[in-house]
Amino acid sequence: MKARVLREIAREAMRGLFRNRLRAGLSMLGISWGIVSVVMLLAYGNGFDEALVRGFHGAFGDGVSILFGGQTSMQAGGERAGRRIRTKEGDVEAIRQLGLIKYASPEYVEYLPLIYGVKQTTSAVRGVAPEYAEMRSEVAEFGRFINAEDTEKERRVIFLGSEIAKKLFGNAPAVGGTIRVNGLSFDVVGVLTQKVSFSNYYSPDKYSVFIPYTTFKQVYSQDYLDNLVFQTLSVAQHNQAVKQVREVLASRHNFNPKDERAVSLNDSVENAKVIGGITGGLKVVLSIIGALTLMIGGIGVMNIMLVSVTERTRAIGVRKALGAKRRHILIQFLLEALVITFLGGLLGILFSYLLVTFAGHRPFLAELLEDPTRQTDIYLMLSGDVVLTATVILMIVGVFSGLWPAMRASKTDPIESLRYE
């Protein structure tokens, strides 16, 4: 098709829209509303996903697993099923030697009284290694976390959760102070920052305190670990690393490595997959709802175009009598529908951007997690994938809403059209 003919078809399409500008404008408004619905729903879905991700990342780094001892459910090496498996510090050292393991730490836990002056509270006291801070996102707001020298020298130093520091010290600086844990003195070396954590075990970190695991073992004479924390080198090799960990422990404790009840895992990678499935499903549902809303606007465009075809039946007949081909008529009316659709879509995206900008955040997990930063509320996110999804849906709606009227116009018989009153 020659460029001159295409330009003429485009001019004719624009004239048609201009002559019926009120009708076209109302059709654009319907499309705009549909696009706003699609974009806002998808932006909400993205915000929901991000809020959950922030909540879980506050508890675990990538590839972190918490391993708990269990009971065997299979016979192995002459040992009966139902035998209890309890891990020791030697297991931590064995796991650290594996090539796919980045960090590993023992963890002892006891609920003990804490006293500072006349103030008293009870907290989960955790005996851990320095690497624990990397794996569990234990970031100090004041001072520092436990270091290798503290562990090596079995120092009585303690790192306080943010809420424990408030209970004992109020607004006074905690670092440098001395508190008593079950009657023994410990020097405060750091305080946890305000930490958002959707997933906890035992108790939230802000209500816990941390001491060197060597000190814990020396003071409280505990031989068995409450659990073992490790982090794999990469998420891509996580399953292989977990398999290696199970094999090492199975060898040391004489159980079948395929026996999943012998040791259980709180696995951040598996948790992330579950969360991804939930949020992915939600996004699909929201996309379908938005697409259906947009289709209503598309049906409006189709109705307007059918009315336009009917009103311009005689003009179509004249054009065909003067030599216009079917494809020329088809392209003209399809172009009119696409212009209405995409201008309406553009206005809808611009309006959505304004709504997202001024909407702020929607309440979600912040109240539940006592999060003063509001990081775990839902913030509407107008990202590139949202705009791309809306554009694809818009293109489909635009083509289908204009195709039937355009085909009807192109099939019009010129003789019958000229007789049309």
Side-chain angles (χ1 to χ4, degrees):
M1 191 180 294
K2 294 180 180 179
R4 182 178 59 81
V5 177
L6 285 174
R7 285 196 298 271
E8 183 58 36
I9 291 172
R11 277 197 292 269
E12 187 63 31
M14 293 306 105
R15 290 192 200 104
L17 290 175
F18 185 75
R19 282 194 297 268
N20 299 283
R21 51 189 175 274
L22 178 60
R23 187 184 298 164
L26 292 174
S27 300
M28 288 180 194
L29 187 61
I31 291 294
S32 297
W33 178 250
I35 279 291
V36 169
S37 300
V38 172
V39 171
M40 294 301 289
L41 286 170
L42 291 177
Y44 185 90
N46 275 1
F48 180 85
D49 184 26
E50 283 297 313
L52 288 179
V53 168
R54 281 192 293 267
F56 274 95
H57 275 188
F60 303 106
D62 293 331
V64 172
S65 296
I66 315 298
L67 185 146
F68 300 88
Q71 282 189 329
T72 58
S73 60
M74 300 178 182
Q75 291 183 351
E79 298 281 357
R80 62 179 176 79
R83 184 167 48 89
R84 188 177 181 186
I85 303 299
R86 305 180 74 180
T87 54
K88 292 187 173 185
E89 288 180 18
D91 297 319
V92 178
E93 292 302 323
I95 289 172
R96 282 173 177 163
Q97 302 308 312
L98 297 175
L100 296 179
I101 298 299
K102 186 177 181 181
Y103 299 121
S105 169
E107 185 169 15
Y108 300 100
V109 182
E110 288 285 348
Y111 286 87
L112 299 170
L114 311 179
I115 299 173
Y116 175 72
V118 296
K119 295 181 180 178
Q120 180 173 340
T121 186
T122 300
S123 167
V125 179
R126 301 176 185 243
V128 296
E131 298 87 351
Y132 187 90
E134 297 290 335
M135 296 186 282
R136 294 287 326 283
S137 304
E138 310 295 358
V139 180
E141 182 177 14
F142 306 104
R144 60 171 178 83
F145 195 71
I146 298 157
N147 60 29
E149 192 175 350
D150 296 331
T151 303
E152 182 182 346
K153 295 183 178 180
E154 300 179 3
R155 288 173 175 167
R156 290 187 186 179
V157 294
I158 192 165
F159 181 84
L160 305 181
S162 54
E163 291 300 319
I164 296 297
K166 285 181 182 177
K167 286 182 179 180
L168 294 178
F169 290 90
N171 294 324
V175 177
T178 300
I179 68 172
R180 297 184 69 80
V181 179
N182 199 31
L184 299 176
S185 297
F186 282 77
D187 296 327
V188 179
V189 293
V191 176
L192 182 68
T193 189
Q194 289 286 350
K195 180 179 176 180
V196 178
S197 179
F198 185 61
S199 178
N200 298 290
Y201 58 103
Y202 300 121
S203 65
D205 291 353
K206 60 187 176 183
Y207 292 108
S208 300
V209 298
F210 305 85
I211 65 176
Y213 74 92
T214 50
T215 306
F216 192 104
K217 184 179 180 182
Q218 182 261 328
V219 170
Y220 301 110
S221 303
Q222 188 164 324
D223 292 327
Y224 295 104
L225 307 182
D226 287 280
N227 54 272
L228 188 157
V229 186
F230 66 89
Q231 183 174 19
T232 56
L233 280 176
S234 70
V235 174
Q237 298 175 303
H238 182 78
N239 290 337
Q240 186 180 351
V242 169
K243 183 181 177 183
Q244 287 185 358
V245 169
R246 285 188 177 278
E247 288 173 350
V248 165
L249 293 177
S251 174
R252 292 176 59 85
H253 294 272
N254 198 23
F255 65 84
N256 191 322
K258 294 181 180 179
D259 188 352
E260 295 189 358
R261 294 187 181 180
V263 290
S264 59
L265 290 177
N266 182 353
D267 191 332
S268 65
V269 173
E270 292 301 317
N271 291 342
K273 289 179 182 178
V274 172
I275 294 300
I278 294 171
T279 57
L282 177 65
K283 288 179 183 180
V284 169
V285 171
L286 294 177
S287 297
I288 292 172
I289 294 171
L292 291 174
T293 306
L294 187 55
M295 283 175 62
I296 295 172
I299 291 170
V301 172
M302 185 185 294
N303 286 334
I304 292 298
M305 293 307 300
L306 287 171
V307 171
S308 180
V309 169
T310 302
E311 289 181 349
R312 293 152 68 182
T313 300
R314 189 174 182 85
I316 293 169
V318 171
R319 289 192 62 199
K320 281 197 166 186
L322 292 175
K325 293 183 169 59
R326 278 186 60 182
R327 65 176 180 272
H328 298 160
I329 304 298
L330 178 71
I331 291 173
Q332 177 189 332
F333 281 90
L334 186 58
L335 183 60
E336 289 184 24
L338 289 174
V339 168
I340 290 173
T341 302
F342 281 96
L343 285 179
L346 181 61
L347 290 173
I349 288 174
L350 291 174
F351 187 58
S352 299
Y353 179 79
L354 293 175
L355 284 178
V356 167
T357 302
F358 293 105
H361 63 271
R362 304 291 91 198
F364 185 39
L365 295 173
E367 293 296 331
L368 175 66
L369 302 180
E370 300 177 0
D371 173 19
T373 65
R374 316 300 297 188
Q375 293 179 45
T376 47
D377 280 341
I378 294 175
Y379 292 83
L380 301 183
M381 299 179 63
L382 188 59
S383 58
D385 64 318
V386 169
V387 175
L388 178 62
T389 303
T391 302
V392 170
I393 296 173
L394 184 64
M395 288 173 64
I396 295 170
V397 170
V399 170
F400 277 93
S401 64
L403 194 58
W404 184 22
M407 290 178 66
R408 180 174 170 181
S410 67
K411 292 178 180 178
T412 304
D413 183 85
I415 296 175
E416 293 297 324
S417 300
L418 290 170
R419 291 176 179 170
Y420 183 80
E421 295 295 336

